[in-house]
Amino acid sequence: MSSKAKQTQKLLLFSLSGSRLFGIGTLKIREILPFKPLIKMPHSHYAVIGTMNFRGSAVPVIDMAAAVGYPPLTTEERKTASIIITDVQRQETGFLVRDVQKIIETDWKKVKSPPPALGDKAFITGLLDMNGELIQLLDVELLLANVYPDSLDTRDVVLTDVQSEALKALNILLVDDSRVARKQLCDVLDAKDISYQVTTNGDEAQQILLNSNELGKPIDILVSDIEMPGLDGYELAFNVRDNGALKQPYIILHTSLNSEMSLSYANQVGANEALTKFDADELLHAMLRGARHADQ
């Protein structure tokens, strides 16, 4: 590869409470609509305020402020609010927000990981300083997992003994900045007693790849998220492929995005596969293809 892998990301900025700004990647967004009357849903989570018809499908709408711990929007505030329709982890969801501000373009290297002091329950995957104003990037996967806890249940995948042993013989590295996504990845492998290493960002993953290679125990399979603070999954894949001294792993980019553009770009930067989260069967069988690749 002769060109640097660099793709700026666009973020939609919005407010939930007061003037504090939040952001989510535009690749997750299908449409932004003004608030409209919703159909109530009995026995639903308190943050789910109803459903709406979106292109012929019933889509649940979540009051994002309520879901992350702020007071819910009042009836009066809803009149000027917006609904962001997202496509994340194979499902469409509407998020009610107080005020949509604008779309900005940024480099993921400028996004910082949240400080550990925020704790595991913070709905933040990254922080961005924009001209002195701090923007919090929301962990949409964690938010959805809190509203729909059953979505974290990972169904068992049937593997033959030969398939299980093939995966147990590999050095596997998992990379994801979302706590929910890491849990899903780890649960799948733990259920099969398959060992692995796991980290939260691309910079640490790159160092693990280099260190493992130097120790003579190179990583065979790299499973990485795409949107991460610092070194994102695209550039991580490119850097791996661009390093001739590194024994090349089988790279699976694993993303909550359903965008064909993101999957196409994953192949351009050298990934072997690009999967949409989260399907345990798809993931394990992609790893099995990686195992066959490692034997060649």
Side-chain angles (χ1 to χ4, degrees), residues 134-167:
L134 198 62
I135 298 165
Q136 301 181 51
L137 274 59
L138 281 169
D139 187 339
V140 179
E141 287 90 346
L142 178 57
L143 192 157
L144 289 172
N146 274 27
V147 175
Y148 302 110
D150 289 346
S151 66
L152 285 180
D153 293 338
T154 303
R155 65 183 180 85
D156 188 41
V157 180
V158 177
L159 296 179
T160 66
D161 290 342
V162 172
Q163 289 174 325
S164 292
E165 292 306 313
L167 293 179

PDB file of all heavy atoms in Angstrom, residues 134-167:
ATOM      1  N   LEU A 134     -16.392  21.060  24.754  1.00  0.00           N
ATOM      2  CA  LEU A 134     -16.232  19.618  24.871  1.00  0.00           C
ATOM      3  C   LEU A 134     -17.478  18.896  24.354  1.00  0.00           C
ATOM      4  O   LEU A 134     -18.588  19.127  24.834  1.00  0.00           O
ATOM      5  CB  LEU A 134     -15.985  19.226  26.328  1.00  0.00           C
ATOM      6  CG  LEU A 134     -15.386  17.835  26.559  1.00  0.00           C
ATOM      7  CD1 LEU A 134     -14.008  17.716  25.911  1.00  0.00           C
ATOM      8  CD2 LEU A 134     -15.296  17.545  28.047  1.00  0.00           C
ATOM      9  N   ILE A 135     -17.275  18.030  23.376  1.00  0.00           N
ATOM     10  CA  ILE A 135     -18.363  17.244  22.804  1.00  0.00           C
ATOM     11  C   ILE A 135     -18.228  15.807  23.281  1.00  0.00           C
ATOM     12  O   ILE A 135     -17.147  15.218  23.214  1.00  0.00           O
ATOM     13  CB  ILE A 135     -18.321  17.289  21.264  1.00  0.00           C
ATOM     14  CG1 ILE A 135     -18.520  18.728  20.771  1.00  0.00           C
ATOM     15  CG2 ILE A 135     -19.390  16.384  20.659  1.00  0.00           C
ATOM     16  CD1 ILE A 135     -18.153  18.927  19.333  1.00  0.00           C
ATOM     17  N   GLN A 136     -19.320  15.243  23.776  1.00  0.00           N
ATOM     18  CA  GLN A 136     -19.322  13.866  24.259  1.00  0.00           C
ATOM     19  C   GLN A 136     -19.921  12.956  23.193  1.00  0.00           C
ATOM     20  O   GLN A 136     -21.049  13.166  22.753  1.00  0.00           O
ATOM     21  CB  GLN A 136     -20.140  13.758  25.554  1.00  0.00           C
ATOM     22  CG  GLN A 136     -19.616  14.648  26.664  1.00  0.00           C
ATOM     23  CD  GLN A 136     -20.420  14.505  27.933  1.00  0.00           C
ATOM     24  OE1 GLN A 136     -20.641  13.405  28.413  1.00  0.00           O
ATOM     25  NE2 GLN A 136     -20.863  15.628  28.490  1.00  0.00           N
ATOM     26  N   LEU A 137     -19.154  11.949  22.786  1.00  0.00           N
ATOM     27  CA  LEU A 137     -19.643  10.980  21.811  1.00  0.00           C
ATOM     28  C   LEU A 137     -20.378   9.868  22.540  1.00  0.00           C
ATOM     29  O   LEU A 137     -19.808   9.217  23.425  1.00  0.00           O
ATOM     30  CB  LEU A 137     -18.485  10.404  20.993  1.00  0.00           C
ATOM     31  CG  LEU A 137     -18.061  11.207  19.759  1.00  0.00           C
ATOM     32  CD1 LEU A 137     -17.640  12.613  20.133  1.00  0.00           C
ATOM     33  CD2 LEU A 137     -16.932  10.496  19.018  1.00  0.00           C
ATOM     34  N   LEU A 138     -21.625   9.659  22.167  1.00  0.00           N
ATOM     35  CA  LEU A 138     -22.467   8.720  22.896  1.00  0.00           C
ATOM     36  C   LEU A 138     -22.213   7.271  22.490  1.00  0.00           C
ATOM     37  O   LEU A 138     -22.011   6.964  21.314  1.00  0.00           O
ATOM     38  CB  LEU A 138     -23.943   9.060  22.670  1.00  0.00           C
ATOM     39  CG  LEU A 138     -24.462  10.231  23.506  1.00  0.00           C
ATOM     40  CD1 LEU A 138     -25.830  10.665  23.026  1.00  0.00           C
ATOM     41  CD2 LEU A 138     -24.545   9.841  24.973  1.00  0.00           C
ATOM     42  N   ASP A 139     -22.233   6.393  23.480  1.00  0.00           N
ATOM     43  CA  ASP A 139     -22.141   4.951  23.252  1.00  0.00           C
ATOM     44  C   ASP A 139     -23.555   4.444  22.994  1.00  0.00           C
ATOM     45  O   ASP A 139     -24.291   4.079  23.923  1.00  0.00           O
ATOM     46  CB  ASP A 139     -21.527   4.276  24.483  1.00  0.00           C
ATOM     47  CG  ASP A 139     -21.236   2.794  24.250  1.00  0.00           C
ATOM     48  OD1 ASP A 139     -21.847   2.208  23.330  1.00  0.00           O
ATOM     49  OD2 ASP A 139     -20.415   2.233  24.994  1.00  0.00           O
ATOM     50  N   VAL A 140     -23.948   4.435  21.736  1.00  0.00           N
ATOM     51  CA  VAL A 140     -25.315   4.059  21.380  1.00  0.00           C
ATOM     52  C   VAL A 140     -25.576   2.596  21.722  1.00  0.00           C
ATOM     53  O   VAL A 140     -26.681   2.227  22.135  1.00  0.00           O
ATOM     54  CB  VAL A 140     -25.582   4.332  19.886  1.00  0.00           C
ATOM     55  CG1 VAL A 140     -27.001   3.925  19.500  1.00  0.00           C
ATOM     56  CG2 VAL A 140     -25.372   5.816  19.571  1.00  0.00           C
ATOM     57  N   GLU A 141     -24.550   1.742  21.567  1.00  0.00           N
ATOM     58  CA  GLU A 141     -24.723   0.326  21.882  1.00  0.00           C
ATOM     59  C   GLU A 141     -25.062   0.123  23.361  1.00  0.00           C
ATOM     60  O   GLU A 141     -25.944  -0.679  23.706  1.00  0.00           O
ATOM     61  CB  GLU A 141     -23.462  -0.466  21.521  1.00  0.00           C
ATOM     62  CG  GLU A 141     -23.238  -0.664  20.043  1.00  0.00           C
ATOM     63  CD  GLU A 141     -22.413   0.453  19.424  1.00  0.00           C
ATOM     64  OE1 GLU A 141     -22.247   1.514  20.085  1.00  0.00           O
ATOM     65  OE2 GLU A 141     -21.943   0.281  18.288  1.00  0.00           O
ATOM     66  N   LEU A 142     -24.367   0.854  24.240  1.00  0.00           N
ATOM     67  CA  LEU A 142     -24.637   0.731  25.672  1.00  0.00           C
ATOM     68  C   LEU A 142     -26.029   1.254  26.000  1.00  0.00           C
ATOM     69  O   LEU A 142     -26.756   0.655  26.809  1.00  0.00           O
ATOM     70  CB  LEU A 142     -23.582   1.496  26.476  1.00  0.00           C
ATOM     71  CG  LEU A 142     -23.752   1.504  27.995  1.00  0.00           C
ATOM     72  CD1 LEU A 142     -23.793   0.088  28.547  1.00  0.00           C
ATOM     73  CD2 LEU A 142     -22.632   2.299  28.659  1.00  0.00           C
ATOM     74  N   LEU A 143     -26.403   2.352  25.377  1.00  0.00           N
ATOM     75  CA  LEU A 143     -27.728   2.916  25.612  1.00  0.00           C
ATOM     76  C   LEU A 143     -28.818   1.910  25.226  1.00  0.00           C
ATOM     77  O   LEU A 143     -29.765   1.666  25.983  1.00  0.00           O
ATOM     78  CB  LEU A 143     -27.873   4.208  24.808  1.00  0.00           C
ATOM     79  CG  LEU A 143     -29.061   5.120  25.113  1.00  0.00           C
ATOM     80  CD1 LEU A 143     -28.749   6.545  24.683  1.00  0.00           C
ATOM     81  CD2 LEU A 143     -30.321   4.649  24.407  1.00  0.00           C
ATOM     82  N   LEU A 144     -28.668   1.314  24.044  1.00  0.00           N
ATOM     83  CA  LEU A 144     -29.662   0.337  23.588  1.00  0.00           C
ATOM     84  C   LEU A 144     -29.675  -0.904  24.480  1.00  0.00           C
ATOM     85  O   LEU A 144     -30.738  -1.480  24.746  1.00  0.00           O
ATOM     86  CB  LEU A 144     -29.374  -0.066  22.135  1.00  0.00           C
ATOM     87  CG  LEU A 144     -29.667   1.001  21.081  1.00  0.00           C
ATOM     88  CD1 LEU A 144     -29.164   0.551  19.709  1.00  0.00           C
ATOM     89  CD2 LEU A 144     -31.165   1.302  21.013  1.00  0.00           C
ATOM     90  N   ALA A 145     -28.507  -1.310  24.970  1.00  0.00           N
ATOM     91  CA  ALA A 145     -28.443  -2.482  25.847  1.00  0.00           C
ATOM     92  C   ALA A 145     -29.156  -2.223  27.164  1.00  0.00           C
ATOM     93  O   ALA A 145     -29.752  -3.143  27.746  1.00  0.00           O
ATOM     94  CB  ALA A 145     -26.988  -2.862  26.094  1.00  0.00           C
ATOM     95  N   ASN A 146     -29.091  -0.985  27.663  1.00  0.00           N
ATOM     96  CA  ASN A 146     -29.796  -0.650  28.893  1.00  0.00           C
ATOM     97  C   ASN A 146     -31.302  -0.642  28.696  1.00  0.00           C
ATOM     98  O   ASN A 146     -32.063  -1.045  29.579  1.00  0.00           O
ATOM     99  CB  ASN A 146     -29.333   0.721  29.404  1.00  0.00           C
ATOM    100  CG  ASN A 146     -28.091   0.624  30.266  1.00  0.00           C
ATOM    101  OD1 ASN A 146     -27.302  -0.297  30.116  1.00  0.00           O
ATOM    102  ND2 ASN A 146     -27.911   1.565  31.161  1.00  0.00           N
ATOM    103  N   VAL A 147     -31.740  -0.183  27.541  1.00  0.00           N
ATOM    104  CA  VAL A 147     -33.174  -0.136  27.254  1.00  0.00           C
ATOM    105  C   VAL A 147     -33.695  -1.526  26.900  1.00  0.00           C
ATOM    106  O   VAL A 147     -34.804  -1.898  27.284  1.00  0.00           O
ATOM    107  CB  VAL A 147     -33.458   0.865  26.114  1.00  0.00           C
ATOM    108  CG1 VAL A 147     -34.935   0.826  25.713  1.00  0.00           C
ATOM    109  CG2 VAL A 147     -33.073   2.281  26.532  1.00  0.00           C
ATOM    110  N   TYR A 148     -32.889  -2.293  26.180  1.00  0.00           N
ATOM    111  CA  TYR A 148     -33.285  -3.644  25.756  1.00  0.00           C
ATOM    112  C   TYR A 148     -32.243  -4.649  26.266  1.00  0.00           C
ATOM    113  O   TYR A 148     -31.424  -5.154  25.495  1.00  0.00           O
ATOM    114  CB  TYR A 148     -33.375  -3.729  24.228  1.00  0.00           C
ATOM    115  CG  TYR A 148     -34.332  -2.743  23.610  1.00  0.00           C
ATOM    116  CD1 TYR A 148     -33.860  -1.670  22.851  1.00  0.00           C
ATOM    117  CD2 TYR A 148     -35.709  -2.890  23.763  1.00  0.00           C
ATOM    118  CE1 TYR A 148     -34.736  -0.769  22.269  1.00  0.00           C
ATOM    119  CE2 TYR A 148     -36.590  -1.992  23.183  1.00  0.00           C
ATOM    120  CZ  TYR A 148     -36.095  -0.931  22.440  1.00  0.00           C
ATOM    121  OH  TYR A 148     -36.971  -0.035  21.864  1.00  0.00           O
ATOM    122  N   PRO A 149     -32.237  -4.951  27.569  1.00  0.00           N
ATOM    123  CA  PRO A 149     -31.203  -5.838  28.123  1.00  0.00           C
ATOM    124  C   PRO A 149     -31.181  -7.228  27.505  1.00  0.00           C
ATOM    125  O   PRO A 149     -30.132  -7.881  27.483  1.00  0.00           O
ATOM    126  CB  PRO A 149     -31.549  -5.901  29.616  1.00  0.00           C
ATOM    127  CG  PRO A 149     -32.962  -5.411  29.727  1.00  0.00           C
ATOM    128  CD  PRO A 149     -33.168  -4.467  28.598  1.00  0.00           C
ATOM    129  N   ASP A 150     -32.318  -7.700  26.994  1.00  0.00           N
ATOM    130  CA  ASP A 150     -32.331  -9.028  26.366  1.00  0.00           C
ATOM    131  C   ASP A 150     -31.457  -9.085  25.127  1.00  0.00           C
ATOM    132  O   ASP A 150     -31.066 -10.175  24.680  1.00  0.00           O
ATOM    133  CB  ASP A 150     -33.764  -9.426  25.982  1.00  0.00           C
ATOM    134  CG  ASP A 150     -34.618  -9.730  27.205  1.00  0.00           C
ATOM    135  OD1 ASP A 150     -34.041  -9.890  28.303  1.00  0.00           O
ATOM    136  OD2 ASP A 150     -35.861  -9.790  27.079  1.00  0.00           O
ATOM    137  N   SER A 151     -31.148  -7.916  24.541  1.00  0.00           N
ATOM    138  CA  SER A 151     -30.343  -7.894  23.328  1.00  0.00           C
ATOM    139  C   SER A 151     -28.912  -8.350  23.589  1.00  0.00           C
ATOM    140  O   SER A 151     -28.180  -8.690  22.655  1.00  0.00           O
ATOM    141  CB  SER A 151     -30.325  -6.486  22.719  1.00  0.00           C
ATOM    142  OG  SER A 151     -29.644  -5.571  23.568  1.00  0.00           O
ATOM    143  N   LEU A 152     -28.500  -8.380  24.870  1.00  0.00           N
ATOM    144  CA  LEU A 152     -27.146  -8.817  25.201  1.00  0.00           C
ATOM    145  C   LEU A 152     -27.014 -10.329  25.244  1.00  0.00           C
ATOM    146  O   LEU A 152     -25.906 -10.859  25.261  1.00  0.00           O
ATOM    147  CB  LEU A 152     -26.728  -8.246  26.558  1.00  0.00           C
ATOM    148  CG  LEU A 152     -26.369  -6.764  26.592  1.00  0.00           C
ATOM    149  CD1 LEU A 152     -25.986  -6.357  28.007  1.00  0.00           C
ATOM    150  CD2 LEU A 152     -25.248  -6.447  25.627  1.00  0.00           C
ATOM    151  N   ASP A 153     -28.137 -11.027  25.292  1.00  0.00           N
ATOM    152  CA  ASP A 153     -28.084 -12.485  25.338  1.00  0.00           C
ATOM    153  C   ASP A 153     -27.535 -13.022  24.023  1.00  0.00           C
ATOM    154  O   ASP A 153     -28.094 -12.777  22.952  1.00  0.00           O
ATOM    155  CB  ASP A 153     -29.479 -13.075  25.590  1.00  0.00           C
ATOM    156  CG  ASP A 153     -29.984 -12.731  26.985  1.00  0.00           C
ATOM    157  OD1 ASP A 153     -29.153 -12.434  27.846  1.00  0.00           O
ATOM    158  OD2 ASP A 153     -31.222 -12.729  27.179  1.00  0.00           O
ATOM    159  N   THR A 154     -26.420 -13.717  24.098  1.00  0.00           N
ATOM    160  CA  THR A 154     -25.784 -14.268  22.907  1.00  0.00           C
ATOM    161  C   THR A 154     -26.181 -15.728  22.753  1.00  0.00           C
ATOM    162  O   THR A 154     -25.878 -16.542  23.615  1.00  0.00           O
ATOM    163  CB  THR A 154     -24.252 -14.160  23.023  1.00  0.00           C
ATOM    164  OG1 THR A 154     -23.898 -12.789  23.223  1.00  0.00           O
ATOM    165  CG2 THR A 154     -23.585 -14.662  21.753  1.00  0.00           C
ATOM    166  N   ARG A 155     -26.851 -16.018  21.650  1.00  0.00           N
ATOM    167  CA  ARG A 155     -27.297 -17.402  21.461  1.00  0.00           C
ATOM    168  C   ARG A 155     -26.097 -18.302  21.201  1.00  0.00           C
ATOM    169  O   ARG A 155     -25.083 -17.885  20.654  1.00  0.00           O
ATOM    170  CB  ARG A 155     -28.290 -17.495  20.302  1.00  0.00           C
ATOM    171  CG  ARG A 155     -27.711 -17.164  18.934  1.00  0.00           C
ATOM    172  CD  ARG A 155     -28.794 -17.206  17.872  1.00  0.00           C
ATOM    173  NE  ARG A 155     -28.282 -16.894  16.541  1.00  0.00           N
ATOM    174  CZ  ARG A 155     -27.729 -17.775  15.727  1.00  0.00           C
ATOM    175  NH1 ARG A 155     -27.579 -19.025  16.124  1.00  0.00           N
ATOM    176  NH2 ARG A 155     -27.292 -17.422  14.544  1.00  0.00           N
ATOM    177  N   ASP A 156     -26.221 -19.540  21.629  1.00  0.00           N
ATOM    178  CA  ASP A 156     -25.130 -20.485  21.475  1.00  0.00           C
ATOM    179  C   ASP A 156     -24.965 -20.868  20.014  1.00  0.00           C
ATOM    180  O   ASP A 156     -25.938 -21.004  19.271  1.00  0.00           O
ATOM    181  CB  ASP A 156     -25.408 -21.743  22.313  1.00  0.00           C
ATOM    182  CG  ASP A 156     -24.216 -22.674  22.334  1.00  0.00           C
ATOM    183  OD1 ASP A 156     -23.088 -22.168  22.442  1.00  0.00           O
ATOM    184  OD2 ASP A 156     -24.419 -23.889  22.217  1.00  0.00           O
ATOM    185  N   VAL A 157     -23.733 -20.991  19.602  1.00  0.00           N
ATOM    186  CA  VAL A 157     -23.407 -21.393  18.235  1.00  0.00           C
ATOM    187  C   VAL A 157     -22.832 -22.803  18.291  1.00  0.00           C
ATOM    188  O   VAL A 157     -21.939 -23.092  19.085  1.00  0.00           O
ATOM    189  CB  VAL A 157     -22.381 -20.427  17.608  1.00  0.00           C
ATOM    190  CG1 VAL A 157     -22.055 -20.866  16.191  1.00  0.00           C
ATOM    191  CG2 VAL A 157     -22.917 -19.004  17.629  1.00  0.00           C
ATOM    192  N   VAL A 158     -23.347 -23.681  17.461  1.00  0.00           N
ATOM    193  CA  VAL A 158     -22.885 -25.069  17.444  1.00  0.00           C
ATOM    194  C   VAL A 158     -21.653 -25.181  16.559  1.00  0.00           C
ATOM    195  O   VAL A 158     -21.677 -24.827  15.380  1.00  0.00           O
ATOM    196  CB  VAL A 158     -23.996 -26.007  16.920  1.00  0.00           C
ATOM    197  CG1 VAL A 158     -23.475 -27.442  16.845  1.00  0.00           C
ATOM    198  CG2 VAL A 158     -25.228 -25.929  17.813  1.00  0.00           C
ATOM    199  N   LEU A 159     -20.558 -25.656  17.165  1.00  0.00           N
ATOM    200  CA  LEU A 159     -19.328 -25.924  16.427  1.00  0.00           C
ATOM    201  C   LEU A 159     -18.943 -27.386  16.616  1.00  0.00           C
ATOM    202  O   LEU A 159     -19.200 -27.968  17.666  1.00  0.00           O
ATOM    203  CB  LEU A 159     -18.177 -25.039  16.927  1.00  0.00           C
ATOM    204  CG  LEU A 159     -18.293 -23.524  16.756  1.00  0.00           C
ATOM    205  CD1 LEU A 159     -17.052 -22.852  17.339  1.00  0.00           C
ATOM    206  CD2 LEU A 159     -18.469 -23.134  15.295  1.00  0.00           C
ATOM    207  N   THR A 160     -18.304 -27.952  15.615  1.00  0.00           N
ATOM    208  CA  THR A 160     -17.784 -29.306  15.771  1.00  0.00           C
ATOM    209  C   THR A 160     -16.530 -29.249  16.640  1.00  0.00           C
ATOM    210  O   THR A 160     -15.939 -28.184  16.854  1.00  0.00           O
ATOM    211  CB  THR A 160     -17.426 -29.918  14.403  1.00  0.00           C
ATOM    212  OG1 THR A 160     -16.320 -29.175  13.842  1.00  0.00           O
ATOM    213  CG2 THR A 160     -18.607 -29.866  13.449  1.00  0.00           C
ATOM    214  N   ASP A 161     -16.114 -30.403  17.139  1.00  0.00           N
ATOM    215  CA  ASP A 161     -14.887 -30.456  17.940  1.00  0.00           C
ATOM    216  C   ASP A 161     -13.693 -29.966  17.125  1.00  0.00           C
ATOM    217  O   ASP A 161     -12.810 -29.271  17.654  1.00  0.00           O
ATOM    218  CB  ASP A 161     -14.631 -31.884  18.425  1.00  0.00           C
ATOM    219  CG  ASP A 161     -15.636 -32.333  19.471  1.00  0.00           C
ATOM    220  OD1 ASP A 161     -16.300 -31.449  20.059  1.00  0.00           O
ATOM    221  OD2 ASP A 161     -15.752 -33.551  19.702  1.00  0.00           O
ATOM    222  N   VAL A 162     -13.667 -30.334  15.861  1.00  0.00           N
ATOM    223  CA  VAL A 162     -12.560 -29.912  14.994  1.00  0.00           C
ATOM    224  C   VAL A 162     -12.539 -28.397  14.850  1.00  0.00           C
ATOM    225  O   VAL A 162     -11.481 -27.761  14.922  1.00  0.00           O
ATOM    226  CB  VAL A 162     -12.674 -30.583  13.606  1.00  0.00           C
ATOM    227  CG1 VAL A 162     -11.650 -29.996  12.637  1.00  0.00           C
ATOM    228  CG2 VAL A 162     -12.482 -32.089  13.728  1.00  0.00           C
ATOM    229  N   GLN A 163     -13.712 -27.798  14.669  1.00  0.00           N
ATOM    230  CA  GLN A 163     -13.799 -26.340  14.536  1.00  0.00           C
ATOM    231  C   GLN A 163     -13.371 -25.638  15.823  1.00  0.00           C
ATOM    232  O   GLN A 163     -12.632 -24.648  15.786  1.00  0.00           O
ATOM    233  CB  GLN A 163     -15.222 -25.928  14.153  1.00  0.00           C
ATOM    234  CG  GLN A 163     -15.612 -26.297  12.730  1.00  0.00           C
ATOM    235  CD  GLN A 163     -17.079 -26.011  12.448  1.00  0.00           C
ATOM    236  OE1 GLN A 163     -17.939 -26.162  13.326  1.00  0.00           O
ATOM    237  NE2 GLN A 163     -17.385 -25.615  11.222  1.00  0.00           N
ATOM    238  N   SER A 164     -13.830 -26.166  16.962  1.00  0.00           N
ATOM    239  CA  SER A 164     -13.460 -25.567  18.244  1.00  0.00           C
ATOM    240  C   SER A 164     -11.952 -25.624  18.465  1.00  0.00           C
ATOM    241  O   SER A 164     -11.332 -24.642  18.896  1.00  0.00           O
ATOM    242  CB  SER A 164     -14.173 -26.276  19.393  1.00  0.00           C
ATOM    243  OG  SER A 164     -15.557 -26.025  19.356  1.00  0.00           O
ATOM    244  N   GLU A 165     -11.359 -26.777  18.177  1.00  0.00           N
ATOM    245  CA  GLU A 165      -9.920 -26.932  18.368  1.00  0.00           C
ATOM    246  C   GLU A 165      -9.138 -26.031  17.423  1.00  0.00           C
ATOM    247  O   GLU A 165      -8.061 -25.520  17.790  1.00  0.00           O
ATOM    248  CB  GLU A 165      -9.511 -28.392  18.168  1.00  0.00           C
ATOM    249  CG  GLU A 165     -10.025 -29.332  19.253  1.00  0.00           C
ATOM    250  CD  GLU A 165      -9.643 -28.870  20.657  1.00  0.00           C
ATOM    251  OE1 GLU A 165      -8.460 -28.523  20.866  1.00  0.00           O
ATOM    252  OE2 GLU A 165     -10.516 -28.853  21.541  1.00  0.00           O
ATOM    253  N   ALA A 166      -9.648 -25.820  16.221  1.00  0.00           N
ATOM    254  CA  ALA A 166      -8.975 -24.933  15.257  1.00  0.00           C
ATOM    255  C   ALA A 166      -8.904 -23.514  15.802  1.00  0.00           C
ATOM    256  O   ALA A 166      -7.879 -22.826  15.671  1.00  0.00           O
ATOM    257  CB  ALA A 166      -9.703 -24.963  13.922  1.00  0.00           C
ATOM    258  N   LEU A 167      -9.976 -23.060  16.442  1.00  0.00           N
ATOM    259  CA  LEU A 167      -9.998 -21.710  16.993  1.00  0.00           C
ATOM    260  C   LEU A 167      -9.167 -21.606  18.268  1.00  0.00           C
ATOM    261  O   LEU A 167      -8.532 -20.584  18.523  1.00  0.00           O
ATOM    262  CB  LEU A 167     -11.440 -21.270  17.267  1.00  0.00           C
ATOM    263  CG  LEU A 167     -12.327 -21.066  16.021  1.00  0.00           C
ATOM    264  CD1 LEU A 167     -13.734 -20.660  16.431  1.00  0.00           C
ATOM    265  CD2 LEU A 167     -11.735 -20.009  15.099  1.00  0.00           C
TER     266      LEU A 167
END
